[in-house]
Amino acid sequence: MNPYAVLAAAAAAWDRIAARLDRAAREGLTELLRVVRDRDTDERERLAAAARAAALLGEALPDEFGAAQQARLAPDVLDEGAPTGPVVQGFHAEDLAVLLMDGHRMVGPVLGPVRERLLAAPALDADTVLREGGDPFAPDLIRLAGAGGRPRLPRFQFSEGTLPWLVVLEVNALLAADRDPWGAADWWLSGNAWLGARPVVLLGTGRDGHLADVARFLMEEE
């Protein structure tokens, strides 16, 4: 049995099983998944944590993840050539950590690639922003949960150093970036028919008012 496959299957079934996990199960999974997703931890420790998490799922949801069900999920031998582990219905083991710990749904075959694209954009970590005198926790800055759940602040938000563009703060507030940072980041980094370009490339071009107007119109339409 491959424990990473069990965790991936749990991520794929999250909509069905989330409400069935009690507080103790959630807390236990959280502690184990914190190890599983930490790429700085020795692989043997990560695998052991994944195995314990799979066992916990079996205890909490025996009808879904009992021994017989887990045995059918994946072969006994781990696929060493797959850095993200087995894929179950487009979900990976780390997706379960994202769903349970990060509180967003940018995972799976549809939203997972969007998350990867947004995280691939240049970004600063919270420590760098603090070290340079900025405030990484300012409410109108976009913060995306990256590898291991560590916050990444897309670099385009800052005009120089860690000084934010005022129009970015204005637009992020309009887009409710504090509640939906992924949606806000996607707005900035994707093509926009109203603007004829990706909004991010218009920063510093004197079109601040246009950027804010388009964002305001978008939110009013919704």
Side-chain angles (χ1 to χ4, degrees):
M1 183 274 296
N2 186 327
Y4 292 126
V6 176
L7 302 184
W14 186 248
D15 286 342
R16 187 173 67 252
I17 69 173
R20 298 179 58 200
L21 292 170
D22 61 23
R23 180 176 178 179
R26 283 174 172 265
E27 290 178 349
L29 280 174
T30 296
E31 291 304 311
L32 293 167
L33 291 172
R34 185 169 288 116
V35 177
V36 171
R37 77 187 318 195
D38 185 357
R39 301 298 172 85
D40 294 330
T41 299
D42 182 82
E43 175 57 30
R44 288 172 297 182
E45 293 182 37
R46 294 176 61 212
L47 179 58
R52 291 197 296 274
L56 191 158
L57 282 168
E59 295 168 4
L61 304 170
D63 58 324
E64 294 263 5
F65 298 103
Q69 288 82 356
Q70 290 192 18
R72 291 196 294 267
L73 284 173
D76 292 334
V77 179
L78 293 176
D79 181 1
E80 300 294 344
T84 56
V87 180
V88 177
Q89 299 176 33
F91 289 81
H92 301 273
E94 190 169 332
D95 289 346
L96 183 61
V98 171
L99 289 164
L100 180 60
M101 299 165 63
D102 295 347
H104 66 78
R105 306 180 65 82
M106 301 296 291
V107 295
V110 177
L111 295 180
V114 178
R115 171 173 165 253
E116 292 173 7
R117 172 173 62 82
L118 297 177
L119 288 176
L124 302 175
D125 59 34
D127 290 341
T128 299
V129 175
L130 279 171
R131 189 165 57 248
E132 295 185 5
D135 178 8
F137 306 107
D140 293 327
L141 285 176
I142 296 168
R143 292 177 295 278
L144 306 178
R150 290 183 288 273
R152 290 172 55 83
L153 290 84
R155 182 69 183 81
F156 71 78
Q157 299 180 103
F158 306 98
S159 60
E160 52 184 76
T162 55
L163 180 67
W165 294 98
L166 292 180
V167 68
V168 166
L169 298 179
E170 180 182 1
V171 169
N172 285 353
L174 289 168
L175 298 176
D178 57 335
R179 299 195 305 272
D180 182 17
W182 299 95
D186 194 41
W187 186 87
W188 281 107
L189 296 170
S190 298
N192 187 295
W194 290 94
L195 295 168
R198 293 183 301 135
V200 68
V201 305
L202 302 180
L203 290 170
T205 65
R207 297 182 65 183
D208 289 6
H210 197 188
L211 285 166
D213 287 344
V214 171
R216 187 176 296 105
F217 176 78
L218 171 67
M219 299 311 291
E220 288 174 353
E221 285 293 297
E222 292 185 355

Coordinates of all heavy atoms in Angstrom, one line a residue, residues 46-143:
R46 N 9.1 11.7 6.2 CA 7.9 12.1 5.5 C 7.0 10.9 5.2 O 5.8 10.9 5.3 CB 8.2 12.8 4.2 CG 8.9 14.2 4.5 CD 9.4 14.8 3.2 NE 8.2 15.1 2.4 CZ 8.2 15.1 1.0 NH1 9.4 14.8 0.4 NH2 7.2 15.4 0.3
L47 N 7.7 9.8 4.7 CA 7.0 8.6 4.4 C 6.3 8.0 5.7 O 5.1 7.5 5.6 CB 7.9 7.6 3.8 CG 7.3 6.2 3.4 CD1 6.1 6.4 2.4 CD2 8.4 5.3 2.8
A48 N 7.0 8.0 6.8 CA 6.5 7.5 8.0 C 5.2 8.3 8.4 O 4.2 7.7 8.9 CB 7.5 7.5 9.1
A49 N 5.3 9.6 8.3 CA 4.2 10.5 8.6 C 3.0 10.2 7.7 O 1.9 10.2 8.1 CB 4.6 11.9 8.6
A50 N 3.3 10.0 6.4 CA 2.2 9.7 5.5 C 1.6 8.4 5.8 O 0.3 8.2 5.7 CB 2.8 9.6 4.0
A51 N 2.3 7.4 6.3 CA 1.8 6.1 6.6 C 0.9 6.2 7.9 O -0.2 5.6 7.9 CB 2.9 5.1 6.9
R52 N 1.3 7.1 8.8 CA 0.5 7.3 10.0 C -0.8 8.0 9.7 O -1.9 7.8 10.2 CB 1.3 8.0 11.1 CG 2.4 7.2 11.7 CD 2.9 7.8 13.0 NE 3.5 9.1 12.8 CZ 4.8 9.3 12.5 NH1 5.6 8.2 12.4 NH2 5.3 10.5 12.4
A53 N -0.7 9.0 8.7 CA -1.9 9.7 8.3 C -2.8 8.8 7.6 O -4.1 8.9 7.8 CB -1.5 10.9 7.4
A54 N -2.3 7.9 6.8 CA -3.2 7.0 6.1 C -3.9 6.0 7.1 O -5.1 5.7 6.9 CB -2.4 6.1 5.1
A55 N -3.2 5.6 8.1 CA -3.8 4.8 9.2 C -4.8 5.6 9.9 O -5.9 5.0 10.2 CB -2.7 4.3 10.1
L56 N -4.6 6.8 10.2 CA -5.6 7.6 10.9 C -6.9 7.8 10.0 O -8.0 7.7 10.6 CB -5.0 9.0 11.2 CG -5.8 10.0 12.1 CD1 -4.8 11.0 12.7 CD2 -6.9 10.7 11.4
L57 N -6.7 7.9 8.7 CA -7.9 8.0 7.9 C -8.6 6.7 7.9 O -9.9 6.7 7.9 CB -7.4 8.3 6.4 CG -7.1 9.8 6.1 CD1 -6.4 9.9 4.8 CD2 -8.4 10.6 6.1
G58 N -7.9 5.6 8.0 CA -8.5 4.3 8.0 C -9.3 4.1 9.3 O -10.4 3.5 9.3
E59 N -8.8 4.6 10.4 CA -9.5 4.5 11.7 C -10.7 5.5 11.7 O -11.8 5.1 12.2 CB -8.6 4.9 12.8 CG -7.4 4.0 13.0 CD -6.3 4.5 13.9 OE1 -6.6 5.6 14.5 OE2 -5.3 3.9 14.1
A60 N -10.6 6.7 11.1 CA -11.7 7.6 11.2 C -12.8 7.3 10.2 O -14.0 7.5 10.5 CB -11.1 9.0 10.9
L61 N -12.4 6.8 9.0 CA -13.4 6.5 8.0 C -13.1 5.1 7.4 O -12.7 5.0 6.2 CB -13.2 7.6 6.8 CG -13.4 9.0 7.2 CD1 -12.9 9.9 6.1 CD2 -14.8 9.3 7.7
P62 N -13.4 4.1 8.2 CA -13.1 2.7 7.7 C -13.8 2.3 6.5 O -13.3 1.5 5.7 CB -13.5 1.9 8.9 CG -14.5 2.7 9.7 CD -14.0 4.1 9.5
D63 N -15.0 2.9 6.2 CA -15.8 2.5 5.0 C -15.1 3.1 3.8 O -15.2 2.5 2.7 CB -17.2 3.0 5.1 CG -17.3 4.5 5.3 OD1 -16.4 5.1 6.1 OD2 -18.2 5.2 4.8
E64 N -14.4 4.2 3.9 CA -13.7 4.8 2.8 C -12.3 4.4 2.7 O -11.8 4.3 1.6 CB -13.8 6.4 2.9 CG -15.2 6.9 2.8 CD -15.5 7.4 1.4 OE1 -14.7 7.2 0.5 OE2 -16.6 8.0 1.2
F65 N -11.6 4.3 3.8 CA -10.1 4.1 3.8 C -9.7 3.0 4.7 O -8.6 3.0 5.3 CB -9.4 5.4 4.2 CG -9.7 6.5 3.2 CD1 -10.6 7.5 3.6 CD2 -9.1 6.6 2.0 CE1 -10.9 8.6 2.7 CE2 -9.4 7.6 1.1 CZ -10.3 8.6 1.5
G66 N -10.5 1.9 4.8 CA -10.1 0.8 5.6 C -9.0 0.0 4.8 O -8.6 0.4 3.7
A67 N -8.5 -1.0 5.4 CA -7.4 -1.8 4.9 C -7.7 -2.2 3.4 O -6.8 -2.1 2.5 CB -7.0 -2.9 5.8
A68 N -8.8 -2.8 3.2 CA -9.2 -3.3 1.9 C -9.2 -2.2 0.9 O -8.7 -2.4 -0.3 CB -10.5 -4.1 2.0
Q69 N -9.8 -1.1 1.2 CA -9.9 0.0 0.3 C -8.5 0.6 0.0 O -8.2 0.9 -1.2 CB -10.8 1.1 0.9 CG -12.3 0.8 0.9 CD -12.6 -0.1 2.1 OE1 -11.8 -0.4 2.9 NE2 -13.9 -0.3 2.3
Q70 N -7.7 0.7 1.0 CA -6.3 1.3 0.8 C -5.5 0.4 -0.1 O -4.7 0.8 -0.9 CB -5.6 1.5 2.1 CG -6.3 2.7 2.9 CD -5.4 3.1 4.1 OE1 -4.2 2.8 4.1 NE2 -6.0 3.8 5.1
A71 N -5.7 -0.9 0.1 CA -4.9 -1.9 -0.7 C -5.1 -1.8 -2.2 O -4.3 -2.1 -3.0 CB -5.2 -3.3 -0.3
R72 N -6.3 -1.3 -2.6 CA -6.6 -1.2 -4.0 C -6.2 0.2 -4.6 O -6.3 0.3 -5.8 CB -8.2 -1.3 -4.2 CG -8.7 -2.7 -3.9 CD -10.1 -2.8 -4.4 NE -11.1 -1.9 -3.8 CZ -11.8 -2.3 -2.7 NH1 -11.7 -3.5 -2.2 NH2 -12.6 -1.5 -2.2
L73 N -5.7 1.1 -3.8 CA -5.4 2.4 -4.3 C -4.2 2.5 -5.2 O -4.1 3.2 -6.1 CB -5.3 3.4 -3.2 CG -6.6 3.8 -2.5 CD1 -6.4 4.7 -1.3 CD2 -7.4 4.6 -3.5
A74 N -3.1 1.8 -4.8 CA -1.8 1.9 -5.5 C -1.0 0.7 -5.3 O -1.2 0.0 -4.3 CB -1.1 3.2 -5.1
P75 N 0.0 0.4 -6.1 CA 0.9 -0.7 -5.9 C 1.7 -0.5 -4.6 O 1.9 0.6 -4.1 CB 1.8 -0.7 -7.1 CG 1.7 0.6 -7.7 CD 0.3 1.1 -7.3
D76 N 2.3 -1.6 -4.1 CA 3.1 -1.5 -2.9 C 4.4 -0.7 -3.1 O 4.9 -0.2 -2.1 CB 3.4 -2.9 -2.4 CG 2.2 -3.7 -1.9 OD1 1.2 -3.0 -1.5 OD2 2.2 -4.9 -1.9
V77 N 4.9 -0.7 -4.3 CA 6.2 -0.1 -4.5 C 6.0 1.4 -4.9 O 5.2 1.7 -5.8 CB 7.0 -0.8 -5.6 CG1 8.3 -0.1 -5.9 CG2 7.2 -2.3 -5.3
L78 N 6.7 2.3 -4.2 CA 6.6 3.7 -4.5 C 7.2 4.0 -5.8 O 8.2 3.4 -6.2 CB 7.3 4.5 -3.4 CG 6.7 4.5 -2.0 CD1 7.6 5.3 -1.1 CD2 5.3 5.1 -2.0
D79 N 6.6 4.9 -6.5 CA 7.1 5.4 -7.8 C 8.2 6.4 -7.6 O 7.9 7.6 -7.4 CB 6.0 5.9 -8.7 CG 6.5 6.4 -10.1 OD1 7.7 6.2 -10.3 OD2 5.7 6.9 -10.9
E80 N 9.5 6.0 -7.5 CA 10.5 6.9 -7.2 C 10.7 8.0 -8.3 O 11.3 9.1 -8.0 CB 11.9 6.2 -7.1 CG 11.8 5.1 -6.0 CD 11.7 5.7 -4.6 OE1 11.9 6.9 -4.4 OE2 11.4 4.9 -3.7
G81 N 10.2 7.8 -9.4 CA 10.3 8.8 -10.5 C 9.3 9.9 -10.5 O 9.3 10.8 -11.3
A82 N 8.3 9.8 -9.5 CA 7.3 10.8 -9.4 C 7.5 11.7 -8.2 O 7.2 11.3 -7.1 CB 5.9 10.2 -9.4
P83 N 8.1 12.9 -8.4 CA 8.4 13.7 -7.2 C 7.2 14.1 -6.4 O 7.3 14.4 -5.2 CB 9.1 14.9 -7.8 CG 8.6 15.0 -9.2 CD 8.4 13.6 -9.6
T84 N 6.0 14.2 -7.0 CA 4.9 14.6 -6.2 C 4.1 13.4 -5.7 O 3.0 13.5 -5.2 CB 4.0 15.5 -7.0 OG1 3.6 14.8 -8.2 CG2 4.7 16.8 -7.3
G85 N 4.6 12.2 -6.0 CA 3.9 11.0 -5.6 C 2.8 10.6 -6.5 O 2.5 11.2 -7.6
P86 N 2.0 9.5 -6.2 CA 0.9 9.0 -7.0 C -0.2 10.1 -7.2 O -0.4 10.9 -6.4 CB 0.4 7.8 -6.3 CG 1.4 7.5 -5.3 CD 2.1 8.8 -4.9
V87 N -0.8 10.0 -8.4 CA -1.9 10.9 -8.7 C -3.2 10.1 -8.6 O -3.3 9.0 -9.3 CB -1.7 11.5 -10.1 CG1 -2.9 12.5 -10.4 CG2 -0.4 12.3 -10.1
V88 N -4.2 10.6 -7.9 CA -5.5 9.9 -7.9 C -6.6 10.9 -8.3 O -6.8 12.0 -7.7 CB -5.8 9.4 -6.4 CG1 -7.2 8.8 -6.4 CG2 -4.8 8.4 -6.0
Q89 N -7.1 10.7 -9.5 CA -8.2 11.6 -10.0 C -7.6 13.0 -10.2 O -8.4 14.0 -10.0 CB -9.4 11.5 -9.2 CG -10.1 10.2 -9.2 CD -11.3 10.1 -8.3 OE1 -12.1 11.1 -8.2 NE2 -11.6 9.0 -7.6
G90 N -6.4 13.1 -10.4 CA -5.8 14.5 -10.6 C -5.3 15.1 -9.3 O -4.8 16.3 -9.4
F91 N -5.4 14.4 -8.2 CA -5.0 15.0 -6.9 C -3.7 14.3 -6.4 O -3.5 13.1 -6.7 CB -6.1 14.8 -5.9 CG -7.3 15.7 -6.1 CD1 -8.3 15.3 -7.0 CD2 -7.5 16.8 -5.4 CE1 -9.4 16.1 -7.2 CE2 -8.6 17.6 -5.6 CZ -9.5 17.2 -6.5
H92 N -2.9 15.1 -5.7 CA -1.7 14.6 -5.1 C -1.8 14.6 -3.5 O -2.7 15.2 -3.0 CB -0.5 15.5 -5.4 CG -0.2 15.6 -6.9 ND1 0.6 14.7 -7.6 CD2 -0.7 16.5 -7.8 CE1 0.6 15.1 -8.9 NE2 -0.2 16.1 -9.0
A93 N -0.9 13.9 -2.9 CA -1.0 13.8 -1.4 C -0.9 15.2 -0.8 O -1.6 15.5 0.2 CB 0.2 13.0 -0.9
E94 N -0.1 16.1 -1.3 CA 0.1 17.4 -0.7 C -1.2 18.2 -0.8 O -1.5 19.2 -0.1 CB 1.2 18.2 -1.3 CG 1.5 19.5 -0.6 CD 2.9 20.1 -1.0 OE1 3.8 19.4 -1.4 OE2 3.0 21.4 -0.9
D95 N -2.1 17.9 -1.8 CA -3.3 18.6 -2.0 C -4.2 18.5 -0.7 O -5.0 19.3 -0.4 CB -4.1 18.1 -3.2 CG -3.5 18.5 -4.5 OD1 -2.6 19.4 -4.5 OD2 -3.8 17.9 -5.5
L96 N -4.1 17.3 0.0 CA -4.8 17.2 1.2 C -4.4 18.1 2.3 O -5.2 18.7 3.0 CB -4.7 15.7 1.7 CG -5.5 15.4 3.0 CD1 -7.0 15.5 2.7 CD2 -5.2 13.9 3.4
A97 N -3.1 18.4 2.3 CA -2.6 19.4 3.3 C -3.1 20.8 2.9 O -3.5 21.6 3.8 CB -1.0 19.4 3.3
V98 N -3.1 21.1 1.6 CA -3.7 22.4 1.2 C -5.1 22.6 1.6 O -5.5 23.6 2.2 CB -3.5 22.5 -0.3 CG1 -4.2 23.8 -0.8 CG2 -2.0 22.6 -0.7
L99 N -5.9 21.5 1.4 CA -7.3 21.6 1.7 C -7.6 21.7 3.2 O -8.4 22.5 3.6 CB -8.0 20.4 1.2 CG -8.2 20.3 -0.4 CD1 -8.6 18.9 -0.8 CD2 -9.2 21.3 -0.8
L100 N -6.8 21.0 4.0 CA -7.1 20.9 5.4 C -6.4 22.1 6.1 O -7.0 22.6 7.1 CB -6.5 19.6 6.0 CG -6.7 19.4 7.5 CD1 -8.1 19.4 7.9 CD2 -6.0 18.0 7.9
M101 N -5.2 22.5 5.7 CA -4.4 23.4 6.5 C -4.4 24.9 5.9 O -4.3 25.8 6.6 CB -3.0 22.9 6.6 CG -2.9 21.6 7.3 SD -1.3 20.8 7.0 CE -0.2 21.9 7.8
D102 N -4.4 25.0 4.6 CA -4.3 26.3 4.0 C -5.7 27.0 3.7 O -5.7 28.2 3.5 CB -3.6 26.2 2.6 CG -2.1 25.7 2.8 OD1 -1.6 25.7 4.0 OD2 -1.5 25.4 1.8
G103 N -6.7 26.2 3.8 CA -8.1 26.7 3.7 C -8.5 27.3 2.3 O -9.3 28.2 2.2
H104 N -7.9 26.7 1.3 CA -8.4 27.1 -0.1 C -8.4 25.8 -0.9 O -8.0 24.8 -0.5 CB -7.5 28.2 -0.7 CG -6.1 27.7 -1.0 ND1 -5.8 26.9 -2.1 CD2 -4.9 27.9 -0.4 CE1 -4.5 26.6 -2.2 NE2 -3.9 27.2 -1.1
R105 N -9.0 26.0 -2.1 CA -9.3 24.8 -3.0 C -8.5 24.8 -4.3 O -9.0 24.3 -5.3 CB -10.8 24.7 -3.2 CG -11.6 24.8 -1.9 CD -13.1 24.7 -2.2 NE -13.5 23.4 -2.8 CZ -13.7 22.3 -2.2 NH1 -13.6 22.3 -0.9 NH2 -14.0 21.2 -2.8
M106 N -7.4 25.5 -4.3 CA -6.6 25.5 -5.5 C -5.8 24.2 -5.7 O -4.6 24.2 -5.7 CB -5.7 26.7 -5.5 CG -6.4 28.1 -5.4 SD -7.5 28.4 -6.8 CE -6.3 28.8 -8.0
V107 N -6.5 23.1 -5.9 CA -5.9 21.8 -6.0 C -6.6 21.0 -7.1 O -7.7 21.4 -7.6 CB -5.9 21.1 -4.7 CG1 -5.0 21.8 -3.6 CG2 -7.3 20.9 -4.2
G108 N -6.1 19.9 -7.4 CA -6.8 19.0 -8.3 C -6.5 19.3 -9.8 O -5.7 20.1 -10.1
P109 N -7.1 18.5 -10.7 CA -6.8 18.6 -12.1 C -7.2 20.0 -12.7 O -6.6 20.3 -13.7 CB -7.6 17.5 -12.7 CG -8.8 17.3 -11.7 CD -8.2 17.5 -10.4
V110 N -8.1 20.7 -12.1 CA -8.6 22.0 -12.8 C -7.9 23.1 -12.1 O -7.2 23.9 -12.8 CB -10.1 22.1 -12.6 CG1 -10.5 23.5 -13.2 CG2 -10.8 21.0 -13.3
L111 N -7.9 23.3 -10.8 CA -7.4 24.5 -10.2 C -5.9 24.3 -9.8 O -5.2 25.3 -9.6 CB -8.2 24.8 -8.9 CG -9.6 25.2 -9.2 CD1 -10.4 25.5 -7.9 CD2 -9.7 26.4 -10.1
G112 N -5.4 23.0 -9.7 CA -4.0 22.8 -9.4 C -3.1 23.5 -10.3 O -2.1 24.2 -9.9
P113 N -3.3 23.4 -11.7 CA -2.4 24.0 -12.6 C -2.4 25.6 -12.5 O -1.4 26.2 -12.7 CB -2.9 23.6 -14.0 CG -3.5 22.2 -13.7 CD -4.2 22.4 -12.3
V114 N -3.6 26.1 -12.1 CA -3.7 27.6 -11.9 C -2.9 28.0 -10.7 O -2.1 29.0 -10.8 CB -5.2 28.0 -11.7 CG1 -5.3 29.5 -11.4 CG2 -6.0 27.6 -12.9
R115 N -2.9 27.2 -9.7 CA -2.1 27.5 -8.5 C -0.6 27.4 -8.8 O 0.1 28.3 -8.4 CB -2.5 26.4 -7.4 CG -1.5 26.4 -6.2 CD -2.1 25.5 -5.1 NE -1.1 25.2 -4.1 CZ -0.5 24.0 -4.0 NH1 -0.8 23.0 -4.8 NH2 0.3 23.8 -3.0
E116 N -0.2 26.4 -9.6 CA 1.2 26.3 -9.9 C 1.6 27.5 -10.8 O 2.7 28.0 -10.6 CB 1.4 25.0 -10.7 CG 1.3 23.7 -9.8 CD 1.3 22.5 -10.6 OE1 1.7 22.5 -11.8 OE2 1.1 21.4 -10.0
R117 N 0.8 27.9 -11.7 CA 1.1 29.1 -12.5 C 1.3 30.3 -11.7 O 2.2 31.1 -11.9 CB 0.1 29.3 -13.6 CG 0.2 30.5 -14.4 CD -0.8 30.6 -15.5 NE -2.2 30.6 -15.1 CZ -2.8 31.7 -14.7 NH1 -2.2 32.9 -14.6 NH2 -4.1 31.6 -14.4
L118 N 0.4 30.5 -10.8 CA 0.5 31.8 -9.9 C 1.7 31.7 -9.0 O 2.3 32.7 -8.7 CB -0.8 31.9 -9.1 CG -2.1 32.2 -10.0 CD1 -3.3 32.2 -9.1 CD2 -2.0 33.4 -10.9
L119 N 2.0 30.5 -8.5 CA 3.1 30.4 -7.6 C 4.4 30.5 -8.3 O 5.5 30.8 -7.7 CB 3.1 29.1 -6.8 CG 2.0 29.0 -5.7 CD1 2.0 27.6 -5.1 CD2 2.2 30.1 -4.6
A120 N 4.4 30.3 -9.6 CA 5.6 30.4 -10.4 C 6.0 31.9 -10.7 O 7.2 32.1 -11.1 CB 5.5 29.7 -11.8
A121 N 5.1 32.8 -10.5 CA 5.4 34.2 -10.7 C 6.4 34.7 -9.6 O 6.4 34.2 -8.5 CB 4.2 35.1 -10.6
P122 N 7.3 35.6 -10.0 CA 8.3 36.1 -9.0 C 7.6 36.6 -7.7 O 6.5 37.2 -7.8 CB 9.0 37.3 -9.7 CG 8.8 36.9 -11.2 CD 7.5 36.3 -11.3
A123 N 8.1 36.2 -6.6 CA 7.5 36.6 -5.3 C 8.5 36.8 -4.2 O 9.7 36.4 -4.3 CB 6.5 35.4 -4.9
L124 N 8.1 37.4 -3.1 CA 8.9 37.6 -1.9 C 8.3 36.8 -0.8 O 7.1 36.6 -0.7 CB 9.0 39.1 -1.5 CG 9.5 40.1 -2.6 CD1 9.3 41.5 -2.0 CD2 10.9 39.8 -2.9
D125 N 9.2 36.3 0.1 CA 8.7 35.6 1.3 C 8.5 36.7 2.4 O 9.0 37.8 2.3 CB 9.5 34.5 1.7 CG 10.9 34.9 2.1 OD1 11.1 36.0 2.6 OD2 11.9 34.1 1.8
A126 N 7.7 36.3 3.4 CA 7.4 37.2 4.4 C 8.6 37.7 5.2 O 8.7 38.9 5.6 CB 6.4 36.6 5.4
D127 N 9.6 36.8 5.4 CA 10.8 37.2 6.1 C 11.6 38.3 5.3 O 12.1 39.3 5.9 CB 11.8 36.0 6.3 CG 11.2 35.0 7.3 OD1 10.3 35.4 8.1 OD2 11.6 33.8 7.3
T128 N 11.6 38.2 4.0 CA 12.3 39.2 3.2 C 11.6 40.5 3.3 O 12.3 41.6 3.4 CB 12.4 38.8 1.7 OG1 13.1 37.5 1.6 CG2 13.0 39.8 0.8
V129 N 10.3 40.5 3.2 CA 9.5 41.8 3.3 C 9.8 42.4 4.7 O 10.0 43.6 4.8 CB 8.0 41.5 3.1 CG1 7.2 42.8 3.3 CG2 7.8 41.0 1.7
L130 N 9.8 41.6 5.7 CA 10.0 42.2 7.1 C 11.4 42.7 7.2 O 11.6 43.8 7.7 CB 9.8 41.1 8.1 CG 8.4 40.8 8.6 CD1 8.3 39.5 9.4 CD2 7.8 42.0 9.3
R131 N 12.4 42.0 6.7 CA 13.8 42.4 6.8 C 14.0 43.7 6.0 O 14.9 44.5 6.4 CB 14.7 41.3 6.2 CG 16.2 41.5 6.4 CD 17.0 40.3 6.1 NE 16.7 39.8 4.8 CZ 16.1 38.6 4.5 NH1 15.6 37.9 5.5 NH2 16.0 38.2 3.3
E132 N 13.3 44.0 5.0 CA 13.4 45.2 4.2 C 12.5 46.3 4.7 O 12.4 47.4 4.0 CB 13.2 44.9 2.7 CG 14.2 44.0 2.1 CD 14.1 43.8 0.6 OE1 13.3 44.5 0.0 OE2 14.8 43.0 0.1
G133 N 11.9 46.1 5.8 CA 11.1 47.2 6.4 C 9.6 47.3 6.0 O 8.9 48.2 6.3
G134 N 9.2 46.3 5.3 CA 7.8 46.2 4.8 C 6.9 45.5 5.8 O 7.4 44.9 6.8
D135 N 5.6 45.5 5.5 CA 4.6 44.8 6.3 C 4.0 43.7 5.5 O 3.1 43.9 4.7 CB 3.6 45.7 6.8 CG 2.5 45.0 7.7 OD1 2.7 43.8 8.0 OD2 1.5 45.7 8.0
P136 N 4.5 42.4 5.6 CA 3.9 41.3 4.8 C 2.5 41.0 5.2 O 1.8 40.2 4.4 CB 4.9 40.2 5.1 CG 5.4 40.4 6.5 CD 5.5 41.9 6.5
F137 N 2.0 41.5 6.3 CA 0.6 41.1 6.7 C -0.4 42.3 6.5 O -1.5 42.2 7.0 CB 0.7 40.7 8.2 CG 1.7 39.6 8.4 CD1 2.9 39.9 9.1 CD2 1.4 38.3 8.0 CE1 3.8 38.9 9.3 CE2 2.3 37.3 8.2 CZ 3.5 37.6 8.9
A138 N 0.0 43.3 5.7 CA -0.9 44.4 5.4 C -2.1 43.8 4.7 O -2.0 42.9 3.8 CB -0.2 45.4 4.5
P139 N -3.3 44.1 5.1 CA -4.5 43.5 4.7 C -4.8 43.5 3.2 O -5.4 42.6 2.6 CB -5.7 44.2 5.4 CG -5.1 45.5 5.8 CD -3.6 45.2 6.1
D140 N -4.2 44.5 2.5 CA -4.5 44.6 1.1 C -3.4 44.1 0.2 O -3.4 44.3 -1.0 CB -4.8 46.1 0.7 CG -6.1 46.6 1.3 OD1 -7.1 45.7 1.4 OD2 -6.2 47.7 1.7
L141 N -2.5 43.3 0.7 CA -1.5 42.7 0.0 C -1.9 41.2 -0.3 O -2.5 40.6 0.6 CB -0.1 42.7 0.7 CG 0.7 44.0 0.7 CD1 1.9 43.8 1.5 CD2 1.0 44.4 -0.7
I142 N -1.6 40.7 -1.5 CA -1.9 39.3 -1.8 C -0.8 38.4 -1.2 O 0.4 38.7 -1.4 CB -1.9 39.1 -3.3 CG1 -3.0 39.9 -4.0 CG2 -2.1 37.6 -3.7 CD1 -2.9 40.0 -5.5
R143 N -1.3 37.4 -0.4 CA -0.4 36.4 0.1 C -0.9 35.1 -0.3 O -2.0 34.7 0.0 CB -0.3 36.5 1.7 CG 0.3 37.8 2.2 CD 0.2 37.9 3.7 NE -1.2 38.0 4.2 CZ -1.8 39.1 4.2 NH1 -1.3 40.2 3.8 NH2 -3.1 39.1 4.6

